[in-house]
Amino acid sequence: DAGVIQSPRHEVTEMGQEVTLRCKPISGHNSLFWYRQTMMRGLELLIYFNNNVPIDDSGMPEDRFSAKMPNASFSTLKIQPSEPRDSAVYFCASSLRQAPNTEAFFGQGTRLTVV
Amino acid sequence: AQSVAQPEDQVNVAEGNPLTVKCTYSVSGNPYLFWYVQYPNRGLQFLLKYITGDNLVKGSYGFEAEFNKSQTSFHLKKPSALVSDSALYFCAVSSPASGSARQLTFGSGTQLTVLP
């Protein structure tokens, strides 16, 4: 299996622009997670889906952030408009089940820089 | 609320020596505990987990971790460190009390450097 695939790997954009991050989870995994990693705040869970349905989006920082999962093999995280403080590494992860004892598998991340 | 503490930002160890990366946790009810490793410019990779049963858990690349309920700890260990073990290590906790919330809380990470 190719693992969790994220694109792009790097994104540089200007403040105010829309940014879309993409994720393909591992085939057969039912849960998908979006995390953000910064030096200041570490790893933060933004949102997670189970069977394509958003379960918990309490970590989404603002209305500028939105996430969708139109099918079992694709998810997007959109930031509109982007701001410099959104600069971070964004990880997508998937797990076989929703159960809290199930490990997650992470993609390589998208390094977002907003200038 | 659940939390994880990794008291050491940086651990240095000589190659061939045993290594320990510390983790303590706080959670309501029984914990599920995880260790992940992150190499530069890569995502987190799962190493091992404790769910129930034997307190000593063995994982990938020769790593193991010991669950200690009385000390609320889950330290990561390896008998003989390799230079290639140098990476950022994260401890994480969740709980069956999380229910549908699927809360997995990560520690702040410990940078392990193995010196040749």
Side-chain angles (χ1 to χ4, degrees):
Chain A
D1 196 315
V4 176
I5 300 173
Q6 292 185 246
S7 64
R9 290 293 309 277
H10 302 275
E11 177 79 36
V12 181
T13 190
E14 292 185 347
M15 183 174 61
Q17 296 298 306
E18 176 180 298
V19 176
T20 300
L21 311 181
R22 297 173 175 79
C23 175
K24 176 179 168 54
I26 293 173
S27 177
H29 281 194
N30 292 332
S31 293
L32 182 140
F33 311 84
W34 283 100
Y35 284 88
R36 179 171 67 177
Q37 185 179 38
T38 61
M39 289 293 292
M40 290 296 294
R41 301 174 68 89
L43 271 164
E44 303 173 277
L45 176 64
L46 300 177
I47 185 171
Y48 87 91
F49 295 83
N50 191 57
N51 292 326
N52 312 338
V53 176
I55 303 300
D56 183 358
D57 65 354
S58 60
M60 296 285 262
E62 301 173 30
D63 291 344
R64 299 184 296 106
F65 286 69
S66 63
K68 294 182 179 180
M69 192 166 185
N71 57 62
S73 58
F74 184 65
S75 177
T76 59
L77 177 67
K78 185 178 293 185
I79 307 173
Q80 166 63 19
S82 58
E83 296 182 4
R85 60 193 168 121
D86 301 331
S87 297
V89 181
Y90 291 82
F91 288 105
C92 176
S94 68
S95 68
L96 189 59
R97 297 182 300 274
Q98 183 182 359
N101 61 358
T102 308
E103 61 271 25
F105 294 83
F106 285 72
Q108 295 194 42
T110 296
R111 183 175 295 277
L112 174 64
T113 303
V114 183
V115 298
Chain B
Q2 57 194 36
S3 64
V4 174
Q6 293 182 242
E8 300 160 316
D9 291 335
Q10 175 84 36
V11 170
N12 295 328
V13 63
E15 186 175 28
N17 283 2
L19 70 87
T20 299
V21 183
K22 296 180 181 178
C23 170
T24 59
Y25 66 91
S26 174
V27 69
S28 299
N30 294 322
Y32 299 139
L33 294 156
F34 303 79
W35 275 103
Y36 287 83
V37 60
Q38 184 178 27
Y39 297 99
N41 301 314
R42 302 293 298 273
L44 279 70
Q45 296 179 30
F46 169 73
L47 276 180
L48 52 80
K49 67 179 178 182
Y50 170 83
I51 303 301
T52 187
D54 194 346
N55 290 343
L56 185 63
V57 179
K58 294 187 183 296
S60 306
Y61 312 121
F63 284 94
E64 58 188 28
E66 185 166 13
F67 171 64
N68 187 317
K69 188 172 184 178
S70 63
Q71 298 185 5
T72 62
S73 67
F74 190 57
H75 300 332
L76 181 71
K77 300 181 180 183
K78 187 174 183 181
S80 178
L82 300 173
V83 172
S84 57
D85 293 330
S86 299
L88 187 58
Y89 289 81
F90 290 94
C91 181
V93 67
S94 68
S95 164
S98 300
S100 62
R102 188 52 164 93
Q103 292 292 335
L104 181 63
T105 302
F106 284 88
S108 56
T110 298
Q111 180 66 48
L112 172 69
T113 301
V114 181
L115 305 169

